[in-house]
Amino acid sequence: FELYSSSPNQVRISIGNVFPGREKDWMEFGTFSCQDERNIQTFRSEGGGVVGKYARVEVLSPWQ
């Protein structure tokens, strides 16, 4: 919600049950495009319900 901050354009979210965990311990939740707006955004997985204790967010594209 910071007025002069920027936001990522595209992110990948993965879910895991152990942290830090190896690469095989993470299950991809989805890759999403973020809107350039200052409010809460929600992302829904196309693969159905994914349950985990930890979320990993990777920024894939430059900031807007």
Side-chain angles (χ1 to χ4, degrees):
F1 298 118
E2 181 129 353
L3 183 59
Y4 295 107
S5 66
S6 57
S7 60
N9 188 21
Q10 193 170 36
V11 296
R12 177 185 304 130
I13 300 174
S14 302
I15 304 294
N17 286 322
V18 293
F19 185 81
R22 298 171 300 230
E23 190 61 37
K24 68 177 186 173
D25 295 329
W26 295 97
M27 180 178 187
E28 186 172 335
F29 181 71
T31 301
F32 305 99
S33 295
C34 301
Q35 302 296 320
D36 189 20
E37 52 190 42
R38 302 281 185 257
N39 58 17
I40 296 173
Q41 298 180 42
T42 55
F43 304 106
R44 297 184 188 271
S45 174
E46 295 177 6
V50 178
V51 178
K53 292 181 183 180
Y54 303 99
R56 178 175 72 179
V57 178
E58 300 173 74
V59 176
L60 301 176
S61 62
W63 298 82
Q64 296 179 6

